Amino acid sequence: MAKRIDVKDLNIYYGDFLAVEDISMTIEPRSVTALIGPSGCGKSTFLRSLNRMHEVVPGGRVEGSVAVDGQDLYDRGVDPVDVRRQIGMVFQRPNPFPTMSIYDNVVAGVRLSGTRMKRSELDDVVERSLQGANLWNEVKDRLTKPGAGLSGGQQQRLCIARAIAVEPQVLLMDEPCSALDPISTLAIEDLIANLKQEYTIVIVTHNMQQAARVSDFTGFFNIAGTGKPGKLIEMDDTAKIFSTPSVKATEDYISGRFG
Amino acid sequence: MDLTSTGTTPTNDIRTPTRTSLRKRASLPRWAPAAVLAAVLGAVLVVQLLTTFNVVTLLVGTALLYIVGIYALSRTVEGRRKATDRLVTAVVTSAFGVALIPLVSVVVTVVGKGLERLDGEFFTYSMRGIVGAGGGAYHAIMGTLIVTGLAALMSVPLGMLTAIYLVEYGRGRLASAITFLVDVMTGIPSIVAGLFAYALFAVFFGPGVRMGVGGAVALAVLMTPVVVRSTEEMLKLVPNDLREAAFALGIPKWRTIVKVVLPTSLAGIATGVTLAIARVIGETAPLLVIAGTTTSMNLNPFEGRMATLPVFSYYSYVSPGVPRDPYLDRAWTAALTLILIVMVLNLGARLISTIFSPKTGR
Ligand SMILES: Nc1ncnc2c1ncn2[C@@H]1O[C@H](COP(=O)(O)OP(=O)(O)O)[C@@H](O)[C@H]1O
Ligand SMILES: [Mg+2]
């Protein structure tokens, strides 16, 4: 299921403002790629351009190409809705649908994207997704209760379950743990390690230890100053980035000298 | 770790009493406000009984003296901050009481005068062939329900779709033009809406046309901007996070709106729609112009005059027959019925709100 993503010469704009400039990188299948860098350097913007969520923002547009297994997502004729069905996303703040039960939250993507399924099939999807998100044991007795009644960490895992229920090929995560306590954070890191078996994962994180713990590859973004575009400074094996980065700025950032 | 060994915390300073220590302050007992109120009320009452009795001066005098009294007492016993608190509490409570006066007065008057004819006959008989006592407003009640229902049927979908366009899709010129027009529509006087409906129907059916559906069109003109505005506000309250969460699952935009955004804001929209209905159900002027009135039952909004409660009430009061009293009684009961209908609508909206509002289940 997992797929390779090739980003080439990608410029990302908000209206006339060039937020991210000239990114080229390859994201390997069945691996975790971490994106790190100081605030405002365009990590979220870049991540959102990988599943065409960027264009949801008024004025949002990109130049260049993002290819998944050779197919450019930004080709004319490619429907962003299809793109997002294949490339799921988990946001910084847990955002379960407040009017829906836990069960309905998990199957929301399946149901509302128009797939018809029998009740028993939906039940399977719910159990599989919640198992996959390490949440099944905690909620299996209250699937009909509102999703908003869970704790923050549980809500975030519910959102992960919801994202993997539609069986995407890639999972994008934008600081998924930044609103969570350390225990929930560990639960989600474990989960990422499991999900790696099946999915290509890209995770933005502010937490250097987290990047080092969960990822196989790490990309470091930086920005020359406010109003300047963010750039990919270097990208390499996580072990290499955290031991012997080839750029001075990366080393400074990782050792906590700025950012 | 031993903090004292660092030498940064001189231990002898810790217990020095300061001005901000948690010393217990003098305070008035809980029953003090009630006691002051009772004393003031008694004093004013005694003075009035010795001179002249008047409810208005009794209440106003009591309130003013209570405000002064509680402040002075609290100031001497509790100090300035608490006294100010008590002063403001007293003033705010009095203001609330003043604001309540019109409401209570209207309800008392309408209920008092409307109860006379609040009987089975009022709800089951029209005024056909009735002179003097008896009869009822069945025809006007049905007329009001039909006309307002049709108006809601026209303006709720129109208003909601407009609001959805403005919030979810609208960008640029067209959206700002629509917003401007909605603003203008909000300010249309109701008689103008009535004349508009009359002119519109006169084009098709000739001058002198009277139709229930014309009244519905007039009310819809008044209602639509209210529905647009309230729906817009409710849709804007839905966090963008939810829309993005749905998009990121590969849910198409229109389904996101129908299945995620609208259910999330449904409670608020229902309240807004109810308020919009309540706003137009008592309209008289436009219905005078286009729906007219009649003494007999007419359930067909596309054919002929149709009585409605406000118009019924208006005519009963303005041109009563002889003897006058039965007509005036019916006018008041019609007004009371109108208030009851609005109340039922509000309760319905409450019910919808509690059923559909997002639950946390904690
Ligand atoms: N909706 C938006 N409209 C305009 N500019 C934006 C928007 N979101 C982010 N930006 C700008 O894009 C740049 C990158 O932001 P972001 O991707 O959020 O950074 P990061 O996630 O690395 O902190 C910043 O300069 C920010 O001000
Ligand atoms: Mg960010």
Side-chain angles (χ1 to χ4, degrees):
Chain A
M1 295 215 299
K3 296 210 171 174
R4 171 200 307 276
I5 306 175
D6 286 298
V7 181
K8 207 151 172 284
D9 307 328
L10 193 69
N11 291 323
I12 312 176
Y13 295 85
Y14 289 102
D16 293 331
F17 172 60
L18 177 59
V20 178
E21 187 178 24
D22 200 24
I23 308 275
S24 296
M25 69 161 74
T26 299
I27 294 165
E28 298 293 338
R30 289 176 208 280
S31 70
V32 178
T33 302
L35 304 178
I36 59 172
S39 279
C41 66
K43 303 179 299 293
S44 300
T45 304
F46 171 70
L47 195 72
R48 289 164 61 92
S49 72
L50 295 182
N51 68 343
R52 296 191 63 171
M53 282 297 287
H54 178 64
E55 65 205 53
V56 170
V57 180
R61 64 195 172 86
V62 307
E63 290 164 357
S65 82
V66 177
V68 173
D69 277 3
Q71 168 65 55
D72 186 355
L73 303 183
Y74 286 93
D75 258 353
R76 278 155 54 95
V78 173
D79 186 349
V81 170
D82 293 336
V83 170
R84 293 173 200 144
R85 218 165 284 172
Q86 309 222 339
I87 307 182
M89 187 158 203
V90 175
F91 297 81
Q92 184 167 356
R93 271 195 299 159
N95 51 6
F97 299 125
T99 51
M100 297 184 195
S101 66
I102 294 174
Y103 186 101
D104 290 338
N105 259 288
V106 176
V107 295
V110 181
R111 247 189 209 154
L112 303 186
S113 58
T115 323
R116 295 224 164 273
M117 271 198 195
K118 286 207 286 287
R119 183 78 194 187
S120 59
E121 289 174 304
L122 285 177
D123 289 346
D124 287 346
V125 169
V126 169
E127 178 163 358
R128 187 154 25 88
S129 309
L130 286 172
Q131 298 267 21
N134 277 340
L135 191 61
W136 175 249
N137 287 330
E138 286 157 71
V139 301
K140 63 171 184 279
D141 300 323
R142 47 170 172 158
L143 292 175
T144 55
K145 295 274 162 55
L150 300 173
S151 76
Q154 290 173 326
Q155 285 188 24
Q156 191 63 302
R157 278 179 283 152
L158 177 61
C159 292
I160 294 176
R162 182 176 69 181
I164 60 182
V166 293
E167 304 190 347
Q169 282 143 2
V170 180
L171 202 54
L172 309 176
M173 301 182 159
D174 191 353
E175 302 188 32
C177 303
S178 65
L180 305 183
D181 60 283
I183 305 230
S184 308
T185 300
L186 275 184
I188 289 186
E189 286 182 9
D190 284 348
L191 175 57
I192 291 171
N194 287 337
L195 292 174
K196 185 169 88 168
Q197 318 297 325
E198 286 182 72
Y199 298 92
T200 304
I201 295 177
V202 185
I203 177 171
V204 171
T205 176
H206 255 122
N207 181 331
M208 231 69 68
Q209 288 81 20
Q210 183 170 68
R213 277 195 301 263
V214 303
S215 72
D216 305 301
F217 303 96
T218 298
F220 172 61
F221 282 67
N222 203 356
I223 185 170
T226 41
K228 299 265 174 47
K231 291 187 180 179
L232 177 65
I233 302 301
E234 71 169 305
M235 173 148 176
D236 215 324
D237 284 356
T238 297
K240 171 120 193 317
I241 291 278
F242 280 90
S243 55
T244 51
S246 47
V247 181
K248 178 79 166 50
T250 314
E251 192 181 341
D252 287 350
Y253 181 73
I254 286 168
S255 58
R257 236 162 284 171
F258 80 98
Chain B
M1 191 165 54
D2 187 3
L3 280 175
T4 51
S5 68
T6 61
T8 52
T9 323
T11 39
N12 58 334
D13 258 358
I14 287 176
R15 276 170 227 286
T16 312
T18 60
R19 229 170 56 79
T20 56
S21 68
L22 292 172
R23 179 165 44 88
K24 206 166 181 263
R25 287 163 185 271
S27 69
L28 291 174
R30 287 184 133 220
W31 44 264
V36 173
L37 187 62
V40 171
L41 186 67
V44 178
L45 202 58
V46 167
V47 171
Q48 287 213 342
L49 288 179
L50 294 179
T51 55
T52 47
F53 180 76
N54 180 327
V55 182
V56 177
T57 49
L58 174 70
L59 293 180
V60 173
T62 306
L64 289 179
L65 281 177
Y66 171 75
I67 292 173
V68 174
I70 192 78
Y71 180 74
L73 182 64
S74 174
R75 182 78 197 248
T76 47
V77 179
E78 296 180 312
R80 214 179 59 151
R81 194 167 56 82
K82 282 227 168 166
T84 311
D85 178 38
R86 291 201 187 268
L87 174 73
V88 174
T89 306
V91 169
V92 168
T93 313
S94 313
F96 172 68
V98 171
L100 225 51
I101 290 173
L103 179 66
V104 172
S105 159
V106 165
V107 170
V108 166
T109 314
V110 176
V111 170
K113 300 197 175 186
L115 274 181
E116 181 69 32
R117 278 303 319 275
L118 199 69
D119 49 30
E121 192 180 356
F122 188 82
F123 292 99
T124 45
Y125 279 76
S126 73
M127 287 298 291
R128 190 184 181 101
I130 303 261
V131 177
Y138 184 38
H139 60 311
I141 294 172
M142 293 314 287
T144 281
L145 293 182
I146 290 171
V147 169
T148 318
L150 282 177
L153 224 53
M154 290 182 238
S155 62
V156 170
L158 182 63
M160 278 181 62
L161 290 174
T162 308
I164 289 172
Y165 171 77
L166 287 176
V167 175
E168 306 290 338
Y169 293 94
R171 303 265 177 274
R173 287 260 185 79
L174 183 58
S176 27
I178 293 177
T179 306
F180 176 72
L181 290 177
V182 170
D183 281 344
V184 172
M185 267 180 91
T186 313
I188 290 182
S190 59
I191 184 69
V192 175
L195 291 172
F196 159 76
Y198 173 76
L200 180 70
F201 278 74
V203 170
F204 298 106
F205 301 97
V209 60
R210 293 285 185 278
M211 261 187 209
V213 69
V217 167
L219 295 189
V221 168
L222 296 170
M223 218 178 130
T224 306
V226 185
V227 175
V228 174
R229 266 292 121 80
S230 54
T231 309
E232 227 186 321
E233 293 311 316
M234 289 306 139
L235 293 179
K236 281 184 188 159
L237 283 183
V238 175
N240 226 5
D241 291 9
L242 294 182
R243 297 186 180 88
E244 297 207 329
F247 293 156
L249 290 172
I251 301 174
K253 184 161 184 170
W254 66 274
R255 268 184 176 266
T256 301
I257 293 168
V258 174
K259 297 287 188 177
V260 175
V261 178
L262 283 181
T264 308
S265 52
L266 196 64
I269 294 176
T271 311
V273 167
T274 316
L275 288 179
I277 294 177
R279 151 97 173 66
V280 299
I281 202 169
E283 279 296 345
T284 317
L287 298 180
L288 274 175
V289 176
I290 174 71
T293 189
T294 167
T295 53
S296 46
M297 187 67 145
N298 174 12
L299 290 177
N300 184 356
F302 302 98
E303 182 73 66
R305 298 161 185 277
M306 203 164 193
T308 50
L309 278 171
V311 176
F312 174 85
S313 183
Y314 172 78
Y315 274 123
S316 305
Y317 209 88
V318 169
S319 50
V322 184
R324 291 166 53 96
D325 282 347
Y327 290 87
L328 300 189
D329 287 343
R330 283 192 295 261
W332 282 108
T333 308
L336 178 59
T337 311
L338 210 48
I339 291 182
L340 289 177
I341 292 177
V342 170
M343 218 169 77
V344 168
L345 279 176
N346 273 318
L347 290 179
R350 281 286 177 89
L351 201 67
I352 293 177
S353 293
T354 45
I355 293 174
F356 289 102
S357 62
K359 306 160 190 70
T360 58
R362 275 194 228 259

